[in-house]
Amino acid sequence: MANFFKSIRRLTSNIILLTSSFFLLTSCQEGSEAGDLLGQWRLADTEANYMNISGSVVWLRHYSDGVYGNFQHVGDSLYIQCYSSSALPIDTAVVEKSFGFKPFNNIRLKIEVLDGDILVLSKDNQKWNFYKY
């Protein structure tokens, strides 16, 4: 009976290991969703604002402060959904004041140019020029 339980325990461990390996391998397709947006983009005319895009995650960074979010690139639109785990005012300031993207948790921007190392985004009468860094 003890051998039976050892066999079941070993089988369960192997299944968990195999399942975990499968999820790790399939989830590590870096940049697959990002496409041409993949990389680190610096807002022109500033030394402080960067946008890092990888997979389906975006990190908006102002100096050492940053906010994570998810994004979708659909046609000529970029949708960003930011998240703040701590709900600090600096999180909102990074997105809305440093970058000028509003509202904090439901951003829709038009992609004017996405060509190699140049990214131009717009919304209403505002334009943001980024270059790959």
PDB file of all heavy atoms in Angstrom, residues 74-111:
ATOM      1  N   VAL A  74      -4.809  47.751 -31.642  1.00  0.00           N
ATOM      2  CA  VAL A  74      -5.878  47.359 -32.551  1.00  0.00           C
ATOM      3  C   VAL A  74      -5.947  48.384 -33.680  1.00  0.00           C
ATOM      4  O   VAL A  74      -6.301  49.539 -33.454  1.00  0.00           O
ATOM      5  CB  VAL A  74      -7.242  47.277 -31.828  1.00  0.00           C
ATOM      6  CG1 VAL A  74      -8.336  46.861 -32.786  1.00  0.00           C
ATOM      7  CG2 VAL A  74      -7.171  46.335 -30.635  1.00  0.00           C
ATOM      8  N   GLY A  75      -5.584  47.951 -34.880  1.00  0.00           N
ATOM      9  CA  GLY A  75      -5.584  48.866 -36.021  1.00  0.00           C
ATOM     10  C   GLY A  75      -4.637  50.021 -35.778  1.00  0.00           C
ATOM     11  O   GLY A  75      -3.458  49.829 -35.533  1.00  0.00           O
ATOM     12  N   ASP A  76      -5.170  51.244 -35.821  1.00  0.00           N
ATOM     13  CA  ASP A  76      -4.329  52.420 -35.569  1.00  0.00           C
ATOM     14  C   ASP A  76      -4.540  52.970 -34.161  1.00  0.00           C
ATOM     15  O   ASP A  76      -4.216  54.111 -33.882  1.00  0.00           O
ATOM     16  CB  ASP A  76      -4.578  53.501 -36.617  1.00  0.00           C
ATOM     17  CG  ASP A  76      -5.964  54.122 -36.515  1.00  0.00           C
ATOM     18  OD1 ASP A  76      -6.824  53.546 -35.809  1.00  0.00           O
ATOM     19  OD2 ASP A  76      -6.189  55.172 -37.129  1.00  0.00           O
ATOM     20  N   SER A  77      -5.074  52.140 -33.263  1.00  0.00           N
ATOM     21  CA  SER A  77      -5.324  52.574 -31.889  1.00  0.00           C
ATOM     22  C   SER A  77      -4.494  51.782 -30.893  1.00  0.00           C
ATOM     23  O   SER A  77      -4.229  50.598 -31.080  1.00  0.00           O
ATOM     24  CB  SER A  77      -6.804  52.411 -31.538  1.00  0.00           C
ATOM     25  OG  SER A  77      -7.595  53.266 -32.327  1.00  0.00           O
ATOM     26  N   LEU A  78      -4.098  52.471 -29.824  1.00  0.00           N
ATOM     27  CA  LEU A  78      -3.386  51.865 -28.718  1.00  0.00           C
ATOM     28  C   LEU A  78      -4.231  52.103 -27.470  1.00  0.00           C
ATOM     29  O   LEU A  78      -4.507  53.238 -27.104  1.00  0.00           O
ATOM     30  CB  LEU A  78      -2.003  52.509 -28.555  1.00  0.00           C
ATOM     31  CG  LEU A  78      -1.129  52.013 -27.412  1.00  0.00           C
ATOM     32  CD1 LEU A  78      -0.778  50.538 -27.599  1.00  0.00           C
ATOM     33  CD2 LEU A  78       0.149  52.843 -27.328  1.00  0.00           C
ATOM     34  N   TYR A  79      -4.675  51.011 -26.851  1.00  0.00           N
ATOM     35  CA  TYR A  79      -5.487  51.069 -25.644  1.00  0.00           C
ATOM     36  C   TYR A  79      -4.606  50.667 -24.465  1.00  0.00           C
ATOM     37  O   TYR A  79      -3.975  49.615 -24.495  1.00  0.00           O
ATOM     38  CB  TYR A  79      -6.677  50.115 -25.729  1.00  0.00           C
ATOM     39  CG  TYR A  79      -7.608  50.413 -26.866  1.00  0.00           C
ATOM     40  CD1 TYR A  79      -7.439  49.801 -28.102  1.00  0.00           C
ATOM     41  CD2 TYR A  79      -8.660  51.308 -26.714  1.00  0.00           C
ATOM     42  CE1 TYR A  79      -8.297  50.074 -29.160  1.00  0.00           C
ATOM     43  CE2 TYR A  79      -9.523  51.590 -27.762  1.00  0.00           C
ATOM     44  CZ  TYR A  79      -9.336  50.969 -28.985  1.00  0.00           C
ATOM     45  OH  TYR A  79     -10.178  51.237 -30.026  1.00  0.00           O
ATOM     46  N   ILE A  80      -4.581  51.507 -23.429  1.00  0.00           N
ATOM     47  CA  ILE A  80      -3.772  51.228 -22.245  1.00  0.00           C
ATOM     48  C   ILE A  80      -4.672  51.261 -21.022  1.00  0.00           C
ATOM     49  O   ILE A  80      -5.419  52.213 -20.807  1.00  0.00           O
ATOM     50  CB  ILE A  80      -2.634  52.252 -22.074  1.00  0.00           C
ATOM     51  CG1 ILE A  80      -1.719  52.254 -23.300  1.00  0.00           C
ATOM     52  CG2 ILE A  80      -1.836  51.950 -20.803  1.00  0.00           C
ATOM     53  CD1 ILE A  80      -0.652  53.337 -23.285  1.00  0.00           C
ATOM     54  N   GLN A  81      -4.558  50.212 -20.227  1.00  0.00           N
ATOM     55  CA  GLN A  81      -5.283  50.104 -18.965  1.00  0.00           C
ATOM     56  C   GLN A  81      -4.237  50.067 -17.856  1.00  0.00           C
ATOM     57  O   GLN A  81      -3.552  49.069 -17.682  1.00  0.00           O
ATOM     58  CB  GLN A  81      -6.131  48.825 -18.950  1.00  0.00           C
ATOM     59  CG  GLN A  81      -6.987  48.639 -17.732  1.00  0.00           C
ATOM     60  CD  GLN A  81      -8.159  49.597 -17.686  1.00  0.00           C
ATOM     61  OE1 GLN A  81      -8.725  49.953 -18.707  1.00  0.00           O
ATOM     62  NE2 GLN A  81      -8.518  50.029 -16.506  1.00  0.00           N
ATOM     63  N   CYS A  82      -4.062  51.176 -17.122  1.00  0.00           N
ATOM     64  CA  CYS A  82      -3.051  51.258 -16.064  1.00  0.00           C
ATOM     65  C   CYS A  82      -3.588  50.697 -14.759  1.00  0.00           C
ATOM     66  O   CYS A  82      -4.794  50.709 -14.512  1.00  0.00           O
ATOM     67  CB  CYS A  82      -2.632  52.712 -15.848  1.00  0.00           C
ATOM     68  SG  CYS A  82      -1.755  53.408 -17.250  1.00  0.00           S
ATOM     69  N   TYR A  83      -2.663  50.226 -13.921  1.00  0.00           N
ATOM     70  CA  TYR A  83      -3.013  49.652 -12.626  1.00  0.00           C
ATOM     71  C   TYR A  83      -2.118  50.249 -11.553  1.00  0.00           C
ATOM     72  O   TYR A  83      -0.938  50.471 -11.771  1.00  0.00           O
ATOM     73  CB  TYR A  83      -2.834  48.129 -12.637  1.00  0.00           C
ATOM     74  CG  TYR A  83      -3.717  47.459 -13.634  1.00  0.00           C
ATOM     75  CD1 TYR A  83      -3.209  47.045 -14.860  1.00  0.00           C
ATOM     76  CD2 TYR A  83      -5.063  47.263 -13.376  1.00  0.00           C
ATOM     77  CE1 TYR A  83      -4.021  46.435 -15.798  1.00  0.00           C
ATOM     78  CE2 TYR A  83      -5.887  46.658 -14.314  1.00  0.00           C
ATOM     79  CZ  TYR A  83      -5.357  46.248 -15.512  1.00  0.00           C
ATOM     80  OH  TYR A  83      -6.171  45.657 -16.445  1.00  0.00           O
ATOM     81  N   SER A  84      -2.698  50.485 -10.404  1.00  0.00           N
ATOM     82  CA  SER A  84      -1.947  50.981  -9.259  1.00  0.00           C
ATOM     83  C   SER A  84      -2.281  50.106  -8.059  1.00  0.00           C
ATOM     84  O   SER A  84      -3.397  50.155  -7.548  1.00  0.00           O
ATOM     85  CB  SER A  84      -2.320  52.433  -8.967  1.00  0.00           C
ATOM     86  OG  SER A  84      -1.700  52.861  -7.783  1.00  0.00           O
ATOM     87  N   SER A  85      -1.329  49.304  -7.631  1.00  0.00           N
ATOM     88  CA  SER A  85      -1.577  48.429  -6.485  1.00  0.00           C
ATOM     89  C   SER A  85      -1.596  49.212  -5.180  1.00  0.00           C
ATOM     90  O   SER A  85      -2.257  48.838  -4.232  1.00  0.00           O
ATOM     91  CB  SER A  85      -0.533  47.325  -6.419  1.00  0.00           C
ATOM     92  OG  SER A  85       0.748  47.887  -6.329  1.00  0.00           O
ATOM     93  N   SER A  86      -0.883  50.324  -5.133  1.00  0.00           N
ATOM     94  CA  SER A  86      -0.799  51.098  -3.894  1.00  0.00           C
ATOM     95  C   SER A  86      -1.735  52.307  -3.886  1.00  0.00           C
ATOM     96  O   SER A  86      -1.922  52.924  -2.843  1.00  0.00           O
ATOM     97  CB  SER A  86       0.635  51.566  -3.671  1.00  0.00           C
ATOM     98  OG  SER A  86       1.084  52.277  -4.803  1.00  0.00           O
ATOM     99  N   ALA A  87      -2.288  52.667  -5.027  1.00  0.00           N
ATOM    100  CA  ALA A  87      -3.205  53.807  -5.162  1.00  0.00           C
ATOM    101  C   ALA A  87      -2.587  55.111  -4.638  1.00  0.00           C
ATOM    102  O   ALA A  87      -3.257  55.919  -4.020  1.00  0.00           O
ATOM    103  CB  ALA A  87      -4.533  53.512  -4.465  1.00  0.00           C
ATOM    104  N   LEU A  88      -1.312  55.288  -4.924  1.00  0.00           N
ATOM    105  CA  LEU A  88      -0.641  56.517  -4.508  1.00  0.00           C
ATOM    106  C   LEU A  88      -0.891  57.629  -5.530  1.00  0.00           C
ATOM    107  O   LEU A  88      -0.997  57.359  -6.730  1.00  0.00           O
ATOM    108  CB  LEU A  88       0.862  56.272  -4.374  1.00  0.00           C
ATOM    109  CG  LEU A  88       1.299  55.313  -3.278  1.00  0.00           C
ATOM    110  CD1 LEU A  88       2.794  55.056  -3.365  1.00  0.00           C
ATOM    111  CD2 LEU A  88       0.931  55.874  -1.911  1.00  0.00           C
ATOM    112  N   PRO A  89      -0.950  58.877  -5.083  1.00  0.00           N
ATOM    113  CA  PRO A  89      -1.131  59.991  -6.012  1.00  0.00           C
ATOM    114  C   PRO A  89      -0.033  60.070  -7.065  1.00  0.00           C
ATOM    115  O   PRO A  89      -0.285  60.517  -8.183  1.00  0.00           O
ATOM    116  CB  PRO A  89      -1.118  61.222  -5.106  1.00  0.00           C
ATOM    117  CG  PRO A  89      -1.477  60.725  -3.755  1.00  0.00           C
ATOM    118  CD  PRO A  89      -0.967  59.311  -3.684  1.00  0.00           C
ATOM    119  N   ILE A  90       1.189  59.614  -6.740  1.00  0.00           N
ATOM    120  CA  ILE A  90       2.289  59.676  -7.711  1.00  0.00           C
ATOM    121  C   ILE A  90       1.985  58.808  -8.926  1.00  0.00           C
ATOM    122  O   ILE A  90       2.413  59.123 -10.034  1.00  0.00           O
ATOM    123  CB  ILE A  90       3.647  59.287  -7.052  1.00  0.00           C
ATOM    124  CG1 ILE A  90       4.812  59.586  -7.999  1.00  0.00           C
ATOM    125  CG2 ILE A  90       3.659  57.833  -6.651  1.00  0.00           C
ATOM    126  CD1 ILE A  90       5.084  61.023  -8.225  1.00  0.00           C
ATOM    127  N   ASP A  91       1.250  57.716  -8.735  1.00  0.00           N
ATOM    128  CA  ASP A  91       0.909  56.843  -9.862  1.00  0.00           C
ATOM    129  C   ASP A  91       0.071  57.589 -10.898  1.00  0.00           C
ATOM    130  O   ASP A  91       0.341  57.548 -12.093  1.00  0.00           O
ATOM    131  CB  ASP A  91       0.165  55.592  -9.384  1.00  0.00           C
ATOM    132  CG  ASP A  91       1.035  54.707  -8.508  1.00  0.00           C
ATOM    133  OD1 ASP A  91       2.273  54.847  -8.560  1.00  0.00           O
ATOM    134  OD2 ASP A  91       0.476  53.884  -7.769  1.00  0.00           O
ATOM    135  N   THR A  92      -0.936  58.281 -10.419  1.00  0.00           N
ATOM    136  CA  THR A  92      -1.781  59.070 -11.313  1.00  0.00           C
ATOM    137  C   THR A  92      -0.979  60.205 -11.936  1.00  0.00           C
ATOM    138  O   THR A  92      -1.127  60.502 -13.121  1.00  0.00           O
ATOM    139  CB  THR A  92      -3.001  59.632 -10.561  1.00  0.00           C
ATOM    140  OG1 THR A  92      -3.706  58.542  -9.971  1.00  0.00           O
ATOM    141  CG2 THR A  92      -3.933  60.380 -11.487  1.00  0.00           C
ATOM    142  N   ALA A  93      -0.099  60.826 -11.147  1.00  0.00           N
ATOM    143  CA  ALA A  93       0.720  61.933 -11.653  1.00  0.00           C
ATOM    144  C   ALA A  93       1.637  61.473 -12.778  1.00  0.00           C
ATOM    145  O   ALA A  93       1.830  62.202 -13.754  1.00  0.00           O
ATOM    146  CB  ALA A  93       1.533  62.548 -10.519  1.00  0.00           C
ATOM    147  N   VAL A  94       2.203  60.271 -12.659  1.00  0.00           N
ATOM    148  CA  VAL A  94       3.087  59.757 -13.715  1.00  0.00           C
ATOM    149  C   VAL A  94       2.325  59.670 -15.030  1.00  0.00           C
ATOM    150  O   VAL A  94       2.803  60.116 -16.075  1.00  0.00           O
ATOM    151  CB  VAL A  94       3.667  58.372 -13.332  1.00  0.00           C
ATOM    152  CG1 VAL A  94       4.279  57.683 -14.545  1.00  0.00           C
ATOM    153  CG2 VAL A  94       4.690  58.508 -12.232  1.00  0.00           C
ATOM    154  N   VAL A  95       1.144  59.121 -14.985  1.00  0.00           N
ATOM    155  CA  VAL A  95       0.378  58.889 -16.214  1.00  0.00           C
ATOM    156  C   VAL A  95      -0.254  60.171 -16.736  1.00  0.00           C
ATOM    157  O   VAL A  95      -0.118  60.509 -17.913  1.00  0.00           O
ATOM    158  CB  VAL A  95      -0.708  57.808 -15.980  1.00  0.00           C
ATOM    159  CG1 VAL A  95      -1.578  57.624 -17.209  1.00  0.00           C
ATOM    160  CG2 VAL A  95      -0.057  56.482 -15.587  1.00  0.00           C
ATOM    161  N   GLU A  96      -0.954  60.890 -15.872  1.00  0.00           N
ATOM    162  CA  GLU A  96      -1.746  62.034 -16.327  1.00  0.00           C
ATOM    163  C   GLU A  96      -0.957  63.339 -16.441  1.00  0.00           C
ATOM    164  O   GLU A  96      -1.240  64.142 -17.316  1.00  0.00           O
ATOM    165  CB  GLU A  96      -2.955  62.231 -15.412  1.00  0.00           C
ATOM    166  CG  GLU A  96      -3.959  61.090 -15.530  1.00  0.00           C
ATOM    167  CD  GLU A  96      -5.237  61.337 -14.761  1.00  0.00           C
ATOM    168  OE1 GLU A  96      -5.337  62.328 -14.012  1.00  0.00           O
ATOM    169  OE2 GLU A  96      -6.159  60.507 -14.915  1.00  0.00           O
ATOM    170  N   LYS A  97       0.015  63.546 -15.574  1.00  0.00           N
ATOM    171  CA  LYS A  97       0.766  64.806 -15.623  1.00  0.00           C
ATOM    172  C   LYS A  97       2.063  64.675 -16.398  1.00  0.00           C
ATOM    173  O   LYS A  97       2.363  65.510 -17.243  1.00  0.00           O
ATOM    174  CB  LYS A  97       1.012  65.318 -14.208  1.00  0.00           C
ATOM    175  CG  LYS A  97      -0.277  65.741 -13.537  1.00  0.00           C
ATOM    176  CD  LYS A  97      -0.056  66.404 -12.218  1.00  0.00           C
ATOM    177  CE  LYS A  97      -1.414  66.844 -11.686  1.00  0.00           C
ATOM    178  NZ  LYS A  97      -1.467  66.993 -10.276  1.00  0.00           N
ATOM    179  N   SER A  98       2.841  63.644 -16.118  1.00  0.00           N
ATOM    180  CA  SER A  98       4.134  63.497 -16.797  1.00  0.00           C
ATOM    181  C   SER A  98       3.958  63.171 -18.268  1.00  0.00           C
ATOM    182  O   SER A  98       4.650  63.712 -19.116  1.00  0.00           O
ATOM    183  CB  SER A  98       4.971  62.414 -16.123  1.00  0.00           C
ATOM    184  OG  SER A  98       5.263  62.779 -14.802  1.00  0.00           O
ATOM    185  N   PHE A  99       3.041  62.243 -18.573  1.00  0.00           N
ATOM    186  CA  PHE A  99       2.818  61.860 -19.962  1.00  0.00           C
ATOM    187  C   PHE A  99       1.658  62.625 -20.592  1.00  0.00           C
ATOM    188  O   PHE A  99       1.618  62.817 -21.791  1.00  0.00           O
ATOM    189  CB  PHE A  99       2.536  60.353 -20.070  1.00  0.00           C
ATOM    190  CG  PHE A  99       3.778  59.514 -19.996  1.00  0.00           C
ATOM    191  CD1 PHE A  99       4.271  59.074 -18.788  1.00  0.00           C
ATOM    192  CD2 PHE A  99       4.471  59.179 -21.146  1.00  0.00           C
ATOM    193  CE1 PHE A  99       5.407  58.311 -18.702  1.00  0.00           C
ATOM    194  CE2 PHE A  99       5.617  58.407 -21.094  1.00  0.00           C
ATOM    195  CZ  PHE A  99       6.091  57.977 -19.868  1.00  0.00           C
ATOM    196  N   GLY A 100       0.681  63.004 -19.794  1.00  0.00           N
ATOM    197  CA  GLY A 100      -0.492  63.680 -20.333  1.00  0.00           C
ATOM    198  C   GLY A 100      -1.542  62.712 -20.863  1.00  0.00           C
ATOM    199  O   GLY A 100      -2.455  63.110 -21.580  1.00  0.00           O
ATOM    200  N   PHE A 101      -1.406  61.423 -20.521  1.00  0.00           N
ATOM    201  CA  PHE A 101      -2.391  60.417 -20.934  1.00  0.00           C
ATOM    202  C   PHE A 101      -3.533  60.417 -19.929  1.00  0.00           C
ATOM    203  O   PHE A 101      -3.330  60.218 -18.736  1.00  0.00           O
ATOM    204  CB  PHE A 101      -1.778  59.014 -20.971  1.00  0.00           C
ATOM    205  CG  PHE A 101      -0.657  58.814 -21.947  1.00  0.00           C
ATOM    206  CD1 PHE A 101       0.189  57.729 -21.827  1.00  0.00           C
ATOM    207  CD2 PHE A 101      -0.434  59.682 -23.012  1.00  0.00           C
ATOM    208  CE1 PHE A 101       1.226  57.510 -22.723  1.00  0.00           C
ATOM    209  CE2 PHE A 101       0.599  59.481 -23.907  1.00  0.00           C
ATOM    210  CZ  PHE A 101       1.433  58.393 -23.763  1.00  0.00           C
ATOM    211  N   LYS A 102      -4.762  60.622 -20.424  1.00  0.00           N
ATOM    212  CA  LYS A 102      -5.937  60.640 -19.546  1.00  0.00           C
ATOM    213  C   LYS A 102      -7.069  59.858 -20.183  1.00  0.00           C
ATOM    214  O   LYS A 102      -7.177  59.828 -21.397  1.00  0.00           O
ATOM    215  CB  LYS A 102      -6.383  62.082 -19.297  1.00  0.00           C
ATOM    216  CG  LYS A 102      -5.369  62.892 -18.532  1.00  0.00           C
ATOM    217  CD  LYS A 102      -5.854  64.299 -18.323  1.00  0.00           C
ATOM    218  CE  LYS A 102      -4.780  65.117 -17.643  1.00  0.00           C
ATOM    219  NZ  LYS A 102      -5.157  66.485 -17.431  1.00  0.00           N
ATOM    220  N   PRO A 103      -7.934  59.281 -19.390  1.00  0.00           N
ATOM    221  CA  PRO A 103      -7.888  59.082 -17.948  1.00  0.00           C
ATOM    222  C   PRO A 103      -6.922  57.969 -17.575  1.00  0.00           C
ATOM    223  O   PRO A 103      -6.529  57.166 -18.413  1.00  0.00           O
ATOM    224  CB  PRO A 103      -9.312  58.697 -17.586  1.00  0.00           C
ATOM    225  CG  PRO A 103      -9.829  58.009 -18.804  1.00  0.00           C
ATOM    226  CD  PRO A 103      -9.153  58.696 -19.962  1.00  0.00           C
ATOM    227  N   PHE A 104      -6.557  57.904 -16.319  1.00  0.00           N
ATOM    228  CA  PHE A 104      -5.536  56.985 -15.817  1.00  0.00           C
ATOM    229  C   PHE A 104      -5.793  55.532 -16.206  1.00  0.00           C
ATOM    230  O   PHE A 104      -4.884  54.816 -16.589  1.00  0.00           O
ATOM    231  CB  PHE A 104      -5.460  57.114 -14.286  1.00  0.00           C
ATOM    232  CG  PHE A 104      -4.547  56.119 -13.630  1.00  0.00           C
ATOM    233  CD1 PHE A 104      -3.185  56.348 -13.583  1.00  0.00           C
ATOM    234  CD2 PHE A 104      -5.045  54.963 -13.056  1.00  0.00           C
ATOM    235  CE1 PHE A 104      -2.325  55.442 -12.972  1.00  0.00           C
ATOM    236  CE2 PHE A 104      -4.200  54.054 -12.444  1.00  0.00           C
ATOM    237  CZ  PHE A 104      -2.841  54.295 -12.400  1.00  0.00           C
ATOM    238  N   ASN A 105      -7.017  55.089 -16.089  1.00  0.00           N
ATOM    239  CA  ASN A 105      -7.278  53.662 -16.259  1.00  0.00           C
ATOM    240  C   ASN A 105      -7.996  53.285 -17.551  1.00  0.00           C
ATOM    241  O   ASN A 105      -8.465  52.161 -17.697  1.00  0.00           O
ATOM    242  CB  ASN A 105      -8.065  53.125 -15.067  1.00  0.00           C
ATOM    243  CG  ASN A 105      -9.398  53.821 -14.914  1.00  0.00           C
ATOM    244  OD1 ASN A 105      -9.701  54.748 -15.640  1.00  0.00           O
ATOM    245  ND2 ASN A 105     -10.181  53.376 -13.964  1.00  0.00           N
ATOM    246  N   ASN A 106      -8.098  54.185 -18.484  1.00  0.00           N
ATOM    247  CA  ASN A 106      -8.782  53.856 -19.735  1.00  0.00           C
ATOM    248  C   ASN A 106      -8.277  54.783 -20.841  1.00  0.00           C
ATOM    249  O   ASN A 106      -8.993  55.660 -21.305  1.00  0.00           O
ATOM    250  CB  ASN A 106     -10.294  53.977 -19.558  1.00  0.00           C
ATOM    251  CG  ASN A 106     -11.036  53.368 -20.724  1.00  0.00           C
ATOM    252  OD1 ASN A 106     -10.490  52.590 -21.492  1.00  0.00           O
ATOM    253  ND2 ASN A 106     -12.296  53.731 -20.862  1.00  0.00           N
ATOM    254  N   ILE A 107      -7.050  54.551 -21.273  1.00  0.00           N
ATOM    255  CA  ILE A 107      -6.395  55.446 -22.223  1.00  0.00           C
ATOM    256  C   ILE A 107      -6.572  54.896 -23.640  1.00  0.00           C
ATOM    257  O   ILE A 107      -6.327  53.724 -23.887  1.00  0.00           O
ATOM    258  CB  ILE A 107      -4.889  55.565 -21.902  1.00  0.00           C
ATOM    259  CG1 ILE A 107      -4.702  56.069 -20.472  1.00  0.00           C
ATOM    260  CG2 ILE A 107      -4.187  56.457 -22.913  1.00  0.00           C
ATOM    261  CD1 ILE A 107      -3.320  55.834 -19.925  1.00  0.00           C
ATOM    262  N   ARG A 108      -6.994  55.757 -24.549  1.00  0.00           N
ATOM    263  CA  ARG A 108      -7.071  55.389 -25.966  1.00  0.00           C
ATOM    264  C   ARG A 108      -6.300  56.434 -26.757  1.00  0.00           C
ATOM    265  O   ARG A 108      -6.613  57.627 -26.712  1.00  0.00           O
ATOM    266  CB  ARG A 108      -8.510  55.337 -26.448  1.00  0.00           C
ATOM    267  CG  ARG A 108      -8.571  54.952 -27.903  1.00  0.00           C
ATOM    268  CD  ARG A 108      -9.973  54.917 -28.430  1.00  0.00           C
ATOM    269  NE  ARG A 108      -9.944  54.540 -29.827  1.00  0.00           N
ATOM    270  CZ  ARG A 108     -10.967  54.615 -30.629  1.00  0.00           C
ATOM    271  NH1 ARG A 108     -12.128  55.035 -30.174  1.00  0.00           N
ATOM    272  NH2 ARG A 108     -10.863  54.262 -31.885  1.00  0.00           N
ATOM    273  N   LEU A 109      -5.277  55.965 -27.475  1.00  0.00           N
ATOM    274  CA  LEU A 109      -4.438  56.852 -28.269  1.00  0.00           C
ATOM    275  C   LEU A 109      -4.435  56.388 -29.718  1.00  0.00           C
ATOM    276  O   LEU A 109      -4.522  55.192 -29.986  1.00  0.00           O
ATOM    277  CB  LEU A 109      -3.000  56.830 -27.735  1.00  0.00           C
ATOM    278  CG  LEU A 109      -2.833  57.193 -26.258  1.00  0.00           C
ATOM    279  CD1 LEU A 109      -1.463  56.787 -25.764  1.00  0.00           C
ATOM    280  CD2 LEU A 109      -3.060  58.677 -26.062  1.00  0.00           C
ATOM    281  N   LYS A 110      -4.310  57.337 -30.623  1.00  0.00           N
ATOM    282  CA  LYS A 110      -4.189  56.998 -32.036  1.00  0.00           C
ATOM    283  C   LYS A 110      -2.710  56.898 -32.384  1.00  0.00           C
ATOM    284  O   LYS A 110      -1.907  57.751 -31.988  1.00  0.00           O
ATOM    285  CB  LYS A 110      -4.848  58.056 -32.911  1.00  0.00           C
ATOM    286  CG  LYS A 110      -4.777  57.699 -34.375  1.00  0.00           C
ATOM    287  CD  LYS A 110      -5.507  58.686 -35.245  1.00  0.00           C
ATOM    288  CE  LYS A 110      -5.402  58.189 -36.677  1.00  0.00           C
ATOM    289  NZ  LYS A 110      -5.818  59.150 -37.632  1.00  0.00           N
ATOM    290  N   ILE A 111      -2.353  55.843 -33.111  1.00  0.00           N
ATOM    291  CA  ILE A 111      -0.983  55.689 -33.576  1.00  0.00           C
ATOM    292  C   ILE A 111      -0.873  56.384 -34.928  1.00  0.00           C
ATOM    293  O   ILE A 111      -1.398  55.917 -35.926  1.00  0.00           O
ATOM    294  CB  ILE A 111      -0.591  54.204 -33.691  1.00  0.00           C
ATOM    295  CG1 ILE A 111      -0.686  53.528 -32.322  1.00  0.00           C
ATOM    296  CG2 ILE A 111       0.811  54.065 -34.268  1.00  0.00           C
ATOM    297  CD1 ILE A 111      -0.474  52.038 -32.343  1.00  0.00           C
TER     298      ILE A 111
END
